[in-house]
Amino acid sequence: MSRQHDKPAVAVPKLFVVATPIGNLDDLSPRARATLAQVDLIAAEDTRHSAALLRHHGIATRTIALHEYNEREASAELVRRMQAGENIALISDAGTPLVSDPGFRLVRAARAAGVVVSPIPGACAAIAALSAAGLPSDRFVFEGFLPPKSAARRARLRELAGEARTLVFYESSHRIVEALADFAAEFGGERRLVVARELTKQFETLLDGRIADVAARVAADADQQRGEFVLLVEGVGDAADGAKLAEGRRVFERLRRELPPSRAAKLASEITGAPRRLLYEGLEASHE
Ligand code: SAM
């Protein structure tokens, strides 16, 4: 009986979409490494950039460039090769191909031509950041890069200001300070923001707090403006709930000076709409 994990990495001619590390070269899975070593050809966003990763892992497979400027023509050629029986792996400079990276045209063309396309999953900066940010992660929206010019960026952020799900963005070091200032202008300073910088690398940092505070902290510290960034903002629903709870606790604390806790919690909940149960949780925590 064949079991999924016993399958050889390369069995039939295919396009393998292989995730590579987002900084730490050891974040390449054994299956990704075996696949890259066994395919006939690796289509890489930047062959010189990927050479370091391949060398690090002792992979000698030939590479060919597939980037946003040649993707259309290169895809047609690669599909022909796969139809002729070659196995090809697609990689980008970092993380998962197609996620703010080239590859969509190749994958679509391969599937349209009946080539089997198989993912070899691994690192993705957005998911890595979400996994460590402590923001609601059951529903989230990946927005990729914002427009580079401030007017267009603010217009996009304005469209997203009512979004209830956690928002995830990519941003470069050139625009990090301006982008955070635009977050404060369009989302207000109160929502929670996490700035995930240089994930898996030496200077990995996750800053977490109110948009206004984190934006000010990054603007004041040149070190916090270096490297690669994922920006995560809590959705408006969660922010509204958070504000309601904060107000509920404030009213509860005040009433508790005059009333028994159960009566204070009931009234605070009626006045602010904050759930009574959570006001009690606050009481238990404050007694610990
Ligand atoms: N395909 C990649 C992925 O799966 O995450 C993303 C490629 S996109 C061209 C590059 C952007 O991803 C960077 O500008 C940054 O916003 C984000 N990024 C990549 N590596 C990162 C890291 N180590 N730490 C934080 N953000 C990173």
Side-chain angles (χ1 to χ4, degrees):
M1 199 172 71
S2 120
R3 291 202 323 247
Q4 188 67 24
H5 58 267
D6 288 334
K7 270 200 318 194
V10 177
V12 290
K14 269 187 184 174
L15 173 63
F16 295 93
V17 183
V18 181
T20 57
I22 56 169
N24 187 325
L25 293 185
D26 289 334
D27 287 340
L28 185 78
S29 76
R31 197 161 83 94
R33 183 183 169 173
T35 303
L36 294 175
Q38 289 172 35
V39 289
D40 300 296
L41 187 64
I42 297 171
E45 183 180 5
D46 178 342
T47 52
R48 278 177 44 197
H49 176 96
S50 293
L53 173 76
L54 300 177
R55 213 172 23 248
H56 179 82
H57 289 283
I59 296 164
T61 310
R62 263 181 324 126
T63 57
I64 188 172
L66 181 121
H67 43 67
E68 59 176 315
Y69 306 105
N70 76 345
E71 191 173 347
R72 207 178 289 270
E73 314 82 73
S75 295
E77 167 61 14
L78 292 175
V79 167
R80 268 194 296 280
R81 287 184 180 218
M82 289 185 282
Q83 285 176 318
E86 286 190 33
N87 293 298
I88 295 180
L90 168 68
I91 60 174
S92 60
D93 285 354
T96 301
L98 281 81
V99 178
S100 294
D101 265 340
F104 162 69
R105 287 199 177 85
L106 174 62
V107 168
R108 179 173 264 196
R111 293 179 64 83
V115 171
V116 176
V117 181
S118 184
I120 310 285
C124 174
I127 299 299
L130 190 68
S131 74
L135 293 177
S137 53
D138 47 348
R139 297 168 75 224
F140 62 92
V141 184
F142 175 63
E143 278 288 321
F145 287 99
L146 285 161
K149 297 223 168 81
S150 184
R153 185 165 58 232
R154 288 200 44 176
R156 173 78 53 82
L157 292 174
R158 210 167 302 136
E159 280 169 26
L160 295 168
E163 175 58 61
R165 294 166 290 184
T166 296
L167 291 157
V168 185
F169 303 92
Y170 283 163
E171 193 49 272
S172 82
S173 55
H174 315 298
R175 285 186 288 271
I176 183 69
V177 172
E178 293 169 42
L180 294 180
D182 288 347
F183 279 13
E186 297 298 338
F187 296 156
E190 292 302 315
R191 282 202 222 178
R192 253 181 97 188
L193 164 72
V194 176
V195 174
R197 184 173 76 92
E198 291 289 89
L199 295 170
T200 78
K201 303 189 213 176
Q202 187 182 0
F203 296 108
E204 178 180 279
T205 315
L206 280 98
L207 298 178
D208 173 354
R210 295 164 63 243
I211 290 180
D213 297 338
V214 176
R217 182 149 173 219
V218 172
D221 183 349
D223 285 341
Q224 294 303 328
Q225 300 164 22
R226 291 187 224 285
E228 299 191 281
F229 298 87
V230 183
L231 309 177
L232 306 99
V233 183
E234 77 176 338
V236 72
D238 301 312
D241 288 350
K244 201 186 277 180
L245 184 59
E247 178 64 1
R249 291 207 169 126
R250 195 186 66 75
V251 172
F252 173 64
E253 287 303 328
R254 178 66 192 84
L255 291 177
R256 202 155 65 90
R257 288 189 224 147
E258 317 287 337
L259 298 169
S262 61
R263 181 99 189 105
K266 183 168 182 293
L267 280 176
S269 172
E270 279 172 18
I271 293 165
T272 64
R276 203 168 142 183
R277 178 179 54 82
L278 295 183
L279 298 177
Y280 269 114
E281 273 174 18
L283 179 68
E284 282 156 21
S286 68
H287 283 179
E288 273 167 18

